[in-house]
């Protein structure tokens, strides 16, 4: 009886897996123009920081190839043109897609035709805009000294325009999941392009909350808090149990102040914060105090003793495990983040005289 049951269970699981297995098909042509340089395409699935080979598509004498891949969710693949191994491209596929990708071989395989995938159409547009920069990058290592100097000058003139074109292109296609991957080309200048990353994140995160590239952008934005970046919202309990939201203070300049009753430096800084609050509260200044206390009684007593008159006091009473502190990457207190009326970061960790000077700059005397 047990053997029959186990056999039935195995068959049922196999049938279930077969029914729900999803595949995507990629086919097309690699136009070599002259002699054949590539004999196959090795397809690797991206899993975290690892490439896992999942298929090899042979390129026939006419340049045709075909690959059938298991795709259960939006998935990034790295396709290597063999035997080179250095010539790669990216495939971003959805379940059940039937995609045609045609390549033309120049100094490297260039994607010239796409059918059946909006994501790959967007990727092709990106490669088109970046093509001139990529050609210079590939020519530079084999160029002589004279040509290298020419390439350097060409690159200096070309690069800013290409970067701006790509930025505008991503904004035009921010609702397409592929943009979460393409925007990583700006990772080395993340602080400069914070608003671009925010636009992509905001356009995609509701529909693709578990996509690794969307999640990475969201987490990086939350932890970075560069000047000009949007401060993550904080929703937490006040001493009387009322839910208070940082975002409800939009329209005011807000000092987010991480402190605790047990923190000596915080308590010594509080008179200065109180003085600034009294001076600028009628000009549109507010304080949002986040306590890292674990003792509610001590927290409430410190608010009263230090005369912290503003109403926006919150805490989850989790000490260093405070959710707001983790969200803002706070590892020591006192710690502050000053945000503008739109909720964007003006400055971080201003205290004492530095905070006073910044307030004068914003509001005047």
């Amino acid at each position: 009886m047990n053997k029959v049951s186990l056999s039935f269970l195995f068959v049922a699981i196999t049938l279930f897996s077969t029914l729900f297995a999803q595949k995507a098909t990629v086919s097309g042509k690699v136009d070599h123009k002259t002699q054949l340089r590539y004999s196959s395409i090795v397809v690797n699935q991206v899993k975290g920081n690892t490439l896992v080979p999942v298929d090899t598509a042979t390129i026939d004498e006419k340049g045709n190839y075909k690959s059938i891949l298991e795709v259960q969710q939006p998935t990034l693949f790295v396709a290597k043109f063999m035997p080179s191994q250095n010539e790669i491209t990216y495939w971003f596929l959805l379940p059940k897609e039937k995609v045609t990708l045609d390549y033309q071989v120049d100094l490297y395989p260039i994607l010239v035709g796409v059918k059946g995938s909006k994501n790959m159409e967007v990727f092709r547009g990106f490669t088109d805009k970046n093509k001139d920069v990529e050609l210079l990058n590939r020519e530079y290592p084999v160029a002589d000294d004279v040509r290298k100097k020419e390439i350097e000058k060409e690159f200096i003139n070309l690069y800013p325009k290409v970067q701006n074109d790509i930025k505008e292109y991503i904004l035009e296609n921010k609702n397409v999941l592929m943009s979460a991957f393409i925007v990583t080309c700006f990772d080395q200048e993340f602080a400069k392009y914070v608003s671009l990353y925010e636009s992509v994140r905001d356009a995609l995160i509701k529909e693709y909350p578990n996509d690794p590239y969307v999640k990475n952008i969201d987490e990086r934005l939350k932890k970075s808090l560069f000047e000009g970046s949007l401060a993550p919202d904080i929703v937490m309990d006040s001493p009387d149990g009322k839910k208070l939201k940082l975002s409800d203070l939009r329209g005011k300049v807000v000092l987010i102040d991480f402190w605790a009753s047990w923190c000596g430096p915080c308590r010594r800084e509080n008179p200065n914060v109180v003085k600034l609050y009294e001076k600028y509260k009628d000009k549109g200044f507010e304080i949002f105090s986040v306590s890292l206390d674990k003792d509610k009684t001590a927290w409430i007593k410190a608010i009263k003793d230090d005369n912290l008159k503003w109403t926006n006091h919150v805490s989850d009473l989790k000490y260093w495990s405070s959710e707001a502190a983790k969200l803002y990457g706070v590892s020591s207190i006192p710690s502050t983040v000053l945000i503008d009326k739109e909720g964007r970061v003006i400055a971080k960790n201003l205290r004492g005289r530095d905070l006073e000077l910044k307030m004068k700059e914003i509001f005047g005397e």
Side-chain angles (χ1 to χ4, degrees):
M1 181 64 182
N2 287 337
K3 288 185 178 179
V4 173
S5 298
L6 289 172
S7 298
F8 175 80
L9 181 61
F10 176 79
V11 171
I13 291 173
T14 303
L15 179 60
F16 182 85
S17 300
T18 302
L19 287 172
F20 285 88
Q22 308 220 44
K23 299 183 183 295
T25 303
V26 181
S27 60
K29 187 170 184 177
V30 181
D31 186 355
H32 286 82
K33 293 296 182 182
T34 54
Q35 80 277 10
L36 293 176
R37 284 171 54 184
Y38 307 111
S39 58
S40 63
I41 301 175
V42 174
V43 186
N44 301 269
Q45 184 175 342
V46 178
K47 293 186 176 181
N49 295 321
T50 305
L51 295 182
V52 180
V54 291
D55 190 34
T56 299
T58 300
I59 301 173
D60 66 22
E61 294 181 354
K62 295 182 179 180
N64 298 308
Y65 72 93
K66 185 175 183 179
S67 179
I68 300 176
L69 303 162
E70 294 283 346
V71 179
Q72 304 297 334
Q73 58 189 3
T75 304
L76 181 69
F77 297 89
V78 174
K80 296 184 178 182
F81 290 80
M82 304 296 286
S84 166
Q85 294 197 44
N86 293 321
E87 307 295 355
I88 67 170
T89 189
Y90 296 95
W91 295 351
F92 194 84
L93 305 175
L94 305 183
K96 299 182 180 181
E97 280 190 320
K98 293 184 178 180
V99 184
T100 300
L101 303 176
D102 292 328
Y103 294 89
Q104 181 176 301
V105 178
D106 193 350
L107 292 178
Y108 64 100
I110 299 171
L111 182 60
V112 294
V114 177
K115 291 181 181 178
S117 170
K118 180 62 176 177
N119 283 298
M120 292 306 299
E121 286 178 12
V122 169
F123 182 68
R124 181 197 169 185
F126 163 72
T127 58
D128 284 348
K129 293 184 181 301
N130 195 50
K131 183 170 65 176
D132 291 340
V133 167
E134 183 64 21
L135 287 170
L136 290 179
N137 284 334
R138 288 173 178 271
E139 183 186 357
Y140 189 83
V142 297
D144 59 31
D145 290 343
V146 174
R147 178 57 185 149
K148 281 185 176 179
K149 289 182 180 180
E150 293 174 350
I151 291 174
E152 290 167 2
K153 291 180 180 178
E154 290 178 31
F155 187 86
I156 289 172
N157 292 327
L158 179 65
Y159 187 71
K161 181 183 183 305
V162 171
Q163 290 293 84
N164 187 67
D165 288 348
I166 291 173
K167 173 189 173 183
E168 294 302 319
Y169 182 73
I170 291 172
L171 287 173
E172 290 170 9
N173 294 281
K174 63 185 179 182
N175 294 308
V176 180
L177 187 53
M178 188 65 176
S179 292
F181 172 65
I182 294 174
V183 78
T184 61
C185 73
F186 292 107
D187 275 0
Q188 297 300 316
E189 299 178 276
F190 183 80
K192 180 180 177 180
Y193 291 98
V194 162
S195 62
L196 176 62
Y197 282 85
E198 288 176 342
S199 295
V200 173
R201 186 270 311 273
D202 293 347
L204 296 172
I205 198 162
K206 286 185 179 179
E207 187 172 356
Y208 303 103
N210 296 315
D211 178 80
Y213 290 95
V214 177
K215 286 174 68 175
N216 180 63
I217 293 172
D218 185 44
E219 291 170 3
R220 191 169 182 183
L221 285 168
K222 286 177 178 177
K223 291 179 180 178
S224 297
L225 292 179
F226 286 104
E227 182 179 333
S229 64
L230 190 65
D233 201 8
I234 299 173
V235 182
M236 205 167 274
D237 287 347
S238 68
D240 60 4
K242 182 181 178 182
K243 292 287 183 187
L244 299 181
K245 296 173 65 177
L246 174 63
S247 57
D248 284 344
L249 299 179
R250 293 283 168 82
K252 295 187 176 183
V253 173
V254 180
L255 180 72
I256 308 170
D257 185 16
F258 292 89
W259 75 296
S261 65
W262 47 261
C263 169
C266 302
R267 302 294 296 271
R268 290 192 292 272
E269 175 67 10
N270 276 344
N272 182 57
V273 178
V274 171
K275 182 178 70 173
L276 293 174
Y277 176 72
E278 292 289 354
K279 186 173 183 178
Y280 295 109
K281 64 180 181 179
D282 294 332
K283 295 185 177 182
F285 176 56
E286 189 54 77
I287 299 173
F288 193 88
S289 292
V290 182
S291 169
L292 272 61
D293 274 288
K294 55 183 176 181
D295 183 328
K296 186 174 182 179
T297 301
W299 171 37
I300 294 173
K301 185 176 185 300
I303 293 172
K304 183 179 180 180
D305 289 350
D306 290 3
N307 198 29
L308 309 184
K309 298 180 179 179
W310 48 94
T311 58
N312 296 290
H313 291 277
V314 299
S315 181
D316 56 12
L317 300 174
K318 292 183 178 180
Y319 197 46
W320 283 112
S321 295
S322 165
E323 295 299 326
K326 288 192 287 186
L327 184 63
Y328 276 73
V330 173
S331 58
S332 64
I333 54 175
S335 179
T336 64
V337 179
L338 187 65
I339 62 176
D340 66 15
K341 295 179 180 181
E342 286 72 45
R344 295 190 176 276
V345 175
I346 299 173
K348 295 171 60 179
N349 290 323
L350 295 179
R351 291 188 291 275
R353 181 63 174 166
D354 291 334
L355 178 57
E356 186 178 347
L357 290 173
K358 177 57 73 172
M359 297 299 288
K360 287 181 179 180
E361 178 186 320
I362 295 171
F363 294 108
E365 286 291 348

